[in-house]
Amino acid sequence: MSSSLLTYLRPEVAELKKRLDEFVENECIPAEEEYEAHVRKFKSVKDRFSLKAIPTCMNRLKERAKALGLWNLFIPPHLIDKVPDPALRPSLPLSYREYGMFCEVLGKCPHIAPEACNTSAPDTGNMEVLLEFGTSHQKKHYLLPLLRGEIRSAFLMTEPQVASSDPTNLETKLVKRQASNGTVEYLLIGRKWWSTGAMDPRCRFALVVARMENSNSNKHGVHTIVLVPMPQTGVVLERALTLFGYDDAPSGHAEVSLQSVCLTKANLIAGEGSGFRVSQARLGPGRIHHCMRAIGMASRSLDLMLERSMERRAFGKYLAEHGGCQEMIADAVADLEAARLLTLNCAATLDVVKEPKLARAQVGLIKYTVPEMTYRVVDRAVQLFGGAGVSDQDHCLARFLVGLRSLRIADGPDAVHKRSVALLTLKKFHQSRL
């Protein structure tokens, strides 16, 4: 698909995006200083992950987003009719490609804008799972409050003791047994880490990936996803994890021990052994969201880079007049445009094929190329800013750099995705020769 078609928006979508552009530029980005100043007032781990640490500007911005029709825009067209309350449906149905372009805008203010519009990870993925696979009870008690923005959620998959990039290694187990009253119950036992959202004081449930004990299924049929209410007996938040020194309070990431957490059949998502299928449905669109937000960070960094180059002078002329700076700008533009078109092409493919597994090659490709390309853009901006670029006290670049570096690991390391793309390419080539 040509670049002009990939970036085309229907008139009504273009109008909605203009509203989002103005909201992020004029309200979210100016609120960053207020947000950070509020969180910095709290020093202890306990206080930083408490309700009082949540900046008051968030509620104000959420109400503005709702009024502007920018709430819950992540919900894809095929799931809109499954939203229990029509008032919580997006103001305009967006394709994966169209929403991807909205994510780029949200990514320019990654710690405020997504939450303000109720499009934060891991909440969006969890809401999609509950929309598609949740029971009526799960939708009523967990999905609806999440759609309203009243609560937050977590997703627990990665484990500290195994290479979690291979999901067949996961050791957290779900033990099925008969209770004393004759009913079936499950015990969840294991340890997770990098559990994004688990430290948030508003977190009211977590989706946890576990393997059925003594399952005779194939390696992709042993996993089950369970919904665990939070807080819950047996769920212990062992520690808040830092990302290159950032704790991302008040949401954060946690190491969690699951100490014989007692569950029932009502806590299962899509039944026993459906974990791999549910995870794949969740991760495909989610990666597009992540990549386009990364592109938003890179886009804002490039703008800052251009402004800096035309304001600062060295050796008798503006930085923008130096050949080395011009080369950095040109390379940044190339990386940014390539990342954007790769991701939008992936989203457009998903719009056509509908099933994430049918777009595995395109999803795999953006998983390792886009984080690396956007990281390079921000890294060049840091270099141009010099000392100001490596501090987060005056500019956003240092924090963006950390976020994009971690993205190369967050959904599995680059090597795993390269392996997948290579195998799919080899298979396609082999079949073409038959």
Side-chain angles (χ1 to χ4, degrees):
M1 187 179 289
S2 69
S3 60
S4 59
L5 288 176
L6 285 174
T7 56
Y8 170 76
L9 292 176
R10 293 171 284 151
E12 63 272 26
V13 177
E15 174 58 33
L16 185 62
K17 182 178 177 295
K18 181 181 177 183
R19 264 183 270 163
L20 179 64
D21 288 332
E22 294 172 349
F23 174 64
V24 172
E25 184 68 29
N26 300 329
E27 301 187 52
C28 294
I29 291 177
E32 287 176 334
E33 187 175 342
E34 177 187 350
Y35 185 102
E36 295 298 334
H38 181 85
V39 176
R40 276 198 298 268
K41 291 190 297 185
F42 304 95
K43 306 302 181 183
S44 69
V45 173
K46 180 180 179 181
D47 286 344
R48 287 177 66 77
F49 294 99
S50 65
L51 288 173
K52 62 185 178 183
I54 298 170
T56 55
C57 64
M58 288 311 306
N59 284 335
R60 179 182 76 242
L61 291 170
K62 287 180 179 181
E63 291 306 313
R64 279 290 292 151
K66 290 176 183 177
L68 292 169
L70 302 174
W71 193 255
N72 288 338
L73 293 177
F74 72 94
I75 302 173
H78 72 279
L79 292 178
I80 289 178
D81 287 342
K82 296 185 178 183
V83 176
D85 183 353
L88 298 173
R89 294 171 182 172
S91 60
L92 190 65
L94 301 175
S95 67
Y96 287 121
R97 182 185 60 82
E98 290 169 335
Y99 179 63
M101 296 176 68
F102 282 59
C103 280
E104 178 175 346
V105 180
L106 294 168
K108 293 181 179 182
C109 185
H111 294 92
I112 295 180
E115 183 181 346
C117 297
N118 208 34
T119 58
S120 292
D123 295 340
T124 51
N126 290 347
M127 284 187 273
E128 287 189 33
V129 165
L130 292 179
L131 281 168
E132 191 159 359
F133 303 103
T135 64
S136 56
H137 178 271
Q138 291 166 349
K139 290 178 179 179
K140 177 181 178 180
H141 293 278
Y142 302 102
L143 173 62
L144 280 172
L146 202 52
L147 285 167
R148 296 188 191 108
E150 298 169 351
I151 65 173
R152 299 296 305 274
S153 64
F155 186 72
L156 281 61
M157 181 174 178
T158 306
E159 299 179 359
Q161 301 302 324
V162 298
S164 304
S165 55
D166 178 356
T168 64
N169 285 337
L170 298 180
E171 294 179 340
T172 296
K173 61 183 179 181
L174 193 63
V175 181
K176 185 178 182 178
R177 68 179 189 180
Q178 191 169 33
S180 57
N181 61 2
T183 61
V184 173
E185 66 178 16
Y186 300 84
L187 293 182
L188 182 64
I189 304 167
R191 182 176 290 266
K192 301 287 187 178
W193 75 341
W194 293 110
S195 304
T196 299
M199 292 298 300
D200 196 307
R202 299 162 295 180
C203 180
R204 290 297 173 264
F205 76 91
L207 296 186
V208 184
V209 182
R211 61 187 303 121
M212 294 299 300
E213 187 180 52
N214 301 323
S215 174
N216 294 320
S217 302
N218 63 58
K219 62 181 182 179
H220 288 142
V222 301
H223 296 95
T224 298
I225 293 182
V226 291
L227 187 156
V228 179
M230 299 275 277
Q232 170 85 333
T233 302
V235 178
V236 181
L237 303 180
E238 298 286 356
R239 58 174 176 161
L241 299 174
T242 59
L243 187 67
F244 290 98
Y246 291 101
D247 64 5
D248 288 340
S251 295
H253 322 274
E255 182 169 347
V256 183
S257 61
L258 304 163
Q259 303 173 2
S260 297
V261 182
C262 190
L263 304 169
T264 69
K265 188 176 180 180
N267 296 99
L268 303 183
I269 299 292
E272 295 179 14
S274 299
F276 187 79
R277 175 169 62 94
V278 174
S279 293
Q280 290 307 301
R282 181 187 189 278
L283 293 176
R287 174 47 67 176
I288 293 171
H289 304 169
H290 277 312
C291 286
M292 290 306 293
R293 283 194 292 266
I295 291 163
M297 285 187 264
S299 177
R300 183 177 171 190
S301 299
L302 177 59
D303 287 343
L304 292 171
M305 184 180 179
L306 294 171
E307 289 176 6
R308 188 79 164 188
S309 72
M310 291 187 285
E311 293 171 352
R312 289 290 175 116
R313 295 176 64 88
F315 304 103
K317 54 185 176 181
Y318 288 105
L319 297 182
E321 297 176 299
H322 288 275
C325 180
Q326 292 170 359
E327 184 174 341
M328 291 169 65
I329 291 170
D331 287 340
V333 171
D335 276 337
L336 184 59
E337 185 69 4
R340 179 182 292 117
L341 294 180
L342 273 173
T343 309
L344 291 178
N345 182 65
C346 176
T349 301
L350 196 55
D351 284 329
V352 173
V353 300
K354 308 301 181 185
E355 291 288 334
K357 66 180 180 181
L358 298 178
R360 284 176 60 201
Q362 290 83 357
V363 172
L365 190 61
I366 66 172
K367 281 183 175 182
Y368 68 86
T369 57
V370 173
E372 187 172 355
M373 287 190 286
T374 52
Y375 177 89
R376 290 198 299 255
V377 174
V378 180
D379 185 57
R380 293 184 190 104
V382 168
Q383 189 67 23
L384 192 141
F385 268 72
V390 296
S391 171
D392 68 353
Q393 292 171 287
D394 298 313
H395 302 285
C396 59
L397 297 175
R399 193 156 193 169
F400 283 4
L401 200 69
V402 165
L404 292 175
R405 184 60 188 86
S406 67
L407 193 56
R408 293 180 60 191
I409 298 172
D411 276 352
D414 291 353
V416 171
H417 308 312
K418 289 181 179 180
R419 174 180 179 270
S420 297
V421 170
L423 290 175
L424 288 168
T425 303
L426 288 166
K427 181 180 179 181
K428 183 179 179 180
F429 178 79
H430 176 69
Q431 290 174 339
S432 71
R433 292 298 186 268
L434 296 178

